[in-house]
Every structure is written in structure tokens, then in C-alpha cells.
Amino acid sequence: MQAVIIGATGGIGHALTLALAQRPDCDRVHALSRTGDSSAGSNISPGQIDLCDEASIEAAARQVAATGQADLVIVASGVLSNGKDVQPEKSYRHQSLTAFEHVFAANTFGPGLVAKHFLPIMPRQGRAVFAALSARVGSITDNRLGGWHAYRASKAALNMLIRNYAIEQARRNPDFIAVSLHPGTVDTPLSSPFQSNVPNAQLFTPQQSAAALLKVIVGLDPAASGKAFDWAGKQIPA
Ligand SMILES: NC(=O)c1ccc[n+]([C@@H]2O[C@H](COP(=O)([O-])OP(=O)(O)OC[C@H]3O[C@@H](n4cnc5c(N)ncnc54)[C@H](OP(=O)(O)O)[C@@H]3O)[C@@H](O)[C@H]2O)c1
């Protein structure tokens, strides 16, 4: 199996890269990130990708295709804030075009362009999985607290794109699976400014989250395609 991790420098992306590289069924992990930094490991191939630059996405897909088909693609990148003017909004009054553009570019448009360039290099026959790290807060049904407008909306829209890809790819390969995954609340740079209300027992390490997510991915069948699941494999309503 050849796997691709997008956002391999991120907390969860890095842990996914290392966990996949140790699996006996994984021949190679393409660890793609903005800096192209790689994790150690003879079966880890570093590569550069910026989700806000379509040419870099296309070039990364070409680099992966040169070594074979991509059996598993995980989009593990994403943003919630930028430490400055982009912060999760507590009220509609705090919305800004800057925040909408920043968050949607990384969380929705970027993964969409990844699908554009990576779905064509996935197998036409047999199992193939395209997974994007979404978030439970992207569920419209599950939204009881409000707030975090740009982030929630970007993940809800991402979930819609995933469902679209599931429908379109099923016509090409009935064993193709596209899913959104909620990794749990994980101790990473993305969540660290917002962890104060999270009990310690509910805060995963990136390694715990990666192990749980890979278990979920292994257990998926084509009937799961187009849906969202949490780290425990429980379906999240749209
Ligand atoms: N942590 C949580 O509690 C939690 C909960 C629910 C959902 N999630 C989701 O899980 C995913 C991973 O989050 P994380 O917690 O691992 O966050 P993280 O440690 O901050 O990692 C985010 C990654 O996204 C990459 N990235 C951001 N913008 C990018 C762009 N334009 N092009 C390429 N890469 C880009 C970053 O790359 P650089 O290293 O280059 O900045 C980094 O590798 C996100 O989609 C997040 O929404 C996380």
C-alpha cells in the first residue's frame, strides 16, 4: 500500500505518518507539507505542498504518481486560528472576510483541490480511501453551542465535498471510500489555545488519535463512503 499524508508536519499528520510507516502493509508514506520536512524512516518520502497553491498540489500528485498509485490519501491539514486576527468567533459580530478566506482556503478549498489532483491517481479497482480530517463541530445537526462560525462552516462544507466525491468516485470504482474523520480533541498547536475547558482524560495525544483513526480507516467498507465518523468509529450526523 502507498499512503499520502497532507499536513505531515502537523500534530496529527506527523503521528499518522509515523504510525503508517510502521505498518507491515505500508510500502511507502508520502509525507507532504508546506516545508517538505520529513519524519525519519526509510519508507517515508518527504514532499512539498501548499493547499493555497494549486500548482504545488498538482506537482505533489505528479511526484506521488511517479512511484505508483495512492491507495490511501489523508488530508490531515487545517486551521482554526492564526494567533493574530483570525480567531474562532463567539458572535456573528466578530465575523470577518479575512477569517472566512483564511479558514475556508485551508479547510475547504485546499482539500477540494487535493481531491482534484489526487483522486485521478487512486486505484480504479479495489480498495482506495480518501479521508479528510474534519471536526465534530462541522455537523449541522450536532451544533448546539453556536460560535466558531468560519471553522464550523468550513468543516460542514468540507463534509459536503467528501460526500460529492464519494458519489462521483463510486461510479468509477465501487470499492472507493471517501470519508470525513473527527480526530477527537487532540493536544496539538491547533487546539492548544482552546484547551482550558477540556478535561485531561478527554484530551488525546496525537499518537492516540492517529492509532484510533487508522483503526477506523481499516474498518471502513464502501457503505461508509460519503459519511463522517469520529475517532471511535461512530458516525457523526451531517
Ligand atoms: N487538534 C484537535 O483537537 C482537532 C479537533 C478536531 C479536528 N481537528 C482537525 O484535525 C486536522 C489536523 O489538526 P492538528 O490538530 O494536527 O493541527 P496542527 O498541529 O496545527 O497541524 C495543522 C497542519 O495543517 C498544515 N497546514 C495549514 N495550512 C496549510 C496549507 N495552506 N497548506 C498545507 N498545509 C497546511 C500545517 O502546516 P505547517 O506545519 O506548514 O503550518 C500543519 O501541518 C485539522 O483539519 C483540524 O481541523 C483537530
Side-chain angles (χ1 to χ4, degrees), residues 66-118:
T67 61
Q69 292 184 316
D71 305 291
L72 169 64
V73 175
I74 305 179
V75 183
S77 49
V79 298
L80 172 57
S81 64
N82 67 356
K84 294 176 288 188
D85 53 340
V86 176
Q87 295 294 335
E89 311 87 348
K90 291 193 173 129
S91 161
Y92 61 83
R93 294 178 185 83
H94 304 145
Q95 294 177 116
S96 74
L97 188 57
T98 305
F100 276 127
E101 287 177 345
H102 180 78
V103 172
F104 271 78
N107 293 355
T108 316
F109 309 152
L113 294 173
V114 169
K116 174 178 171 184
H117 293 288
F118 280 79

Side-chain angles (χ1 to χ4, degrees), residues 6-14 32-37 49-53 56-57 75-80 102 105-107 110 132-137 148 151 154-155 158 181-192 195 203-204 206 209 213:
I6 290 161
T9 48
I12 303 169
H14 180 66
L32 307 182
S33 67
R34 281 194 281 207
T35 54
D37 282 349
I49 197 165
D50 183 344
L51 294 200
C52 296
D53 173 8
S56 82
I57 301 172
V75 183
S77 49
V79 298
L80 172 57
H102 180 78
N107 293 355
L133 296 194
S134 185
R136 192 184 301 281
V137 298
W148 292 31
Y151 185 73
S154 72
K155 294 297 192 180
L158 171 65
L181 297 175
H182 169 63
T185 304
V186 189
D187 187 11
T188 67
L190 180 141
S191 68
S192 66
Q195 288 171 6
L203 188 65
F204 292 162
S209 175
L213 291 171

